[in-house]
Amino acid sequence: MKIITCFKLVPEEQDIVVTQERSLNFDRAEAKISQFDLNAMEAAAQLTAEGDEIVALTVGGSLLQNSKMRKDVLSRGPDSLFLVQDAQLEHSLPRDTAQALACAAKSIGFDLMIFGEGSGDLYAQQVGLLVGELLQLPIINAVSSIQRNGGHVLVERALEDEIEVIDLPLPAVLCVTSDINTPRIPSMKAILGAGKKPVTQWQASDIGWTPTPPLAELVEIVVPPQAERKRIILENDSPEAIAELAEHLKKALN
């Protein structure tokens, strides 16, 4: 089985600075693998058997130049890494991202594609579903368990009051939840071995992708104004103070 596990690089949240104009400054934010995509990588690693192959795939802009990121990805189970780096994908929205991933996946070939439930920045929860639609393949989201079943995969997902079990023929596309597993920390052996694994870097023209007229445009990201914290101190436990406290609680709850 050949599995493609897709991931996105996002800025480290703790390094993002909120400016006085309530915009976000990413100058000091290092790139990292989106936390939800670590679950997808771990799901692929747990699913493979001897003779299988895991390919890590991502598309994007300047963040993909990070060599530390490449070693981090390859230390988590993938046998190879494919990058589609192009200025047109620098801040791409889900539609363009999905189209580029679908083009790359066709060039690579696969039996199964695994996505995280969303990305750590936009969390649109659209890309995996769009890729499955573009490739005209069976696509299941909210997957909480994956098992091999001959030439099929047996997947589970938790609904409101029941567990849904689906026998899915391959090739297929899956989007896994964040509670499907706990991503392992790579061992020193895996980190050292990651440097020997192949990395293929493409541009958009190499996979035959061109951007399409956008259906939506990201205009700006603005941080909501910080509400002033209200502190009311009642210094005794008299019946009047307790009544006043109860009144404040009623107003807060309403």
Side-chain angles (χ1 to χ4, degrees):
M1 181 187 294
K2 187 173 184 178
I3 302 174
I4 294 179
T5 176
C6 298
F7 68 96
K8 182 178 183 180
L9 293 186
V10 298
E12 179 64 64
E13 293 89 348
Q14 63 185 10
D15 297 331
I16 300 174
V17 177
V18 179
T19 68
Q20 292 182 345
E21 294 77 24
R22 295 194 287 123
S23 61
L24 299 179
N25 186 309
F26 299 93
D27 292 346
R28 297 183 179 179
E30 292 285 338
K32 70 170 187 177
I33 306 168
S34 174
Q35 184 64 38
F36 303 108
D37 296 331
L38 294 179
N39 296 110
M41 288 186 188
E42 181 66 23
Q46 292 182 7
L47 191 63
T48 53
E50 186 176 352
D52 291 342
E53 180 185 359
I54 302 177
V55 174
L57 170 64
T58 189
V59 303
S62 57
L63 287 180
L64 301 189
Q65 297 172 354
N66 190 315
S67 59
K68 181 180 177 182
M69 169 278 301
R70 299 181 182 191
K71 183 173 286 189
D72 187 16
V73 170
L74 290 169
S75 68
R76 296 178 180 273
D79 302 293
S80 60
L81 171 61
F82 283 77
L83 310 168
V84 182
Q85 183 177 353
D86 198 283
Q88 299 174 99
L89 291 163
E90 184 72 46
H91 300 293
S92 59
L93 293 178
R95 184 167 174 245
D96 279 340
T97 299
Q99 288 174 339
L101 287 171
C103 290
K106 285 181 182 178
S107 299
I108 296 169
F110 65 94
D111 299 298
L112 182 65
M113 290 186 77
I114 303 180
F115 290 82
E117 61 184 88
S119 62
D121 49 5
L122 295 178
Y123 195 66
Q125 296 181 286
Q126 296 179 17
V127 173
L129 298 174
L130 289 171
V131 169
E133 174 65 21
L134 290 167
L135 295 175
Q136 292 293 289
L137 293 176
I139 165 70
I140 302 293
N141 69 338
V143 173
S144 56
S145 174
I146 312 172
Q147 299 178 30
R148 301 171 75 113
N149 186 23
H152 294 209
V153 289
L154 202 64
V155 302
E156 295 182 4
R157 58 179 180 175
L159 304 181
E160 185 173 347
D161 54 1
E162 60 188 6
I163 301 296
E164 186 177 47
V165 181
I166 303 170
D167 189 11
L168 202 63
L170 299 177
V173 180
L174 302 178
C175 302
V176 301
T177 62
S178 56
D179 58 0
I180 190 173
N181 54 48
T182 300
R184 290 169 289 183
I185 298 174
S187 65
M188 183 56 66
K189 180 180 179 181
I191 294 172
L192 294 174
K196 301 176 183 178
K197 295 181 179 179
V199 176
T200 301
Q201 185 163 328
W202 286 330
Q203 293 183 328
S205 57
D206 296 322
I207 59 171
W209 174 79
T210 53
T212 54
L215 300 176
E217 181 183 356
L218 181 61
V219 178
E220 62 178 338
I221 299 175
V222 179
V223 179
Q226 187 172 2
E228 183 180 352
R229 190 171 184 179
K230 297 179 180 179
R231 296 199 307 171
I232 300 173
I233 300 175
L234 303 176
E235 297 182 346
N236 59 70
D237 58 357
S238 65
E240 293 79 11
I242 294 173
E244 185 181 352
L245 173 62
E247 190 63 30
H248 286 305
L249 291 174
K250 287 179 182 178
K251 290 180 180 179
L253 292 173
N254 294 330

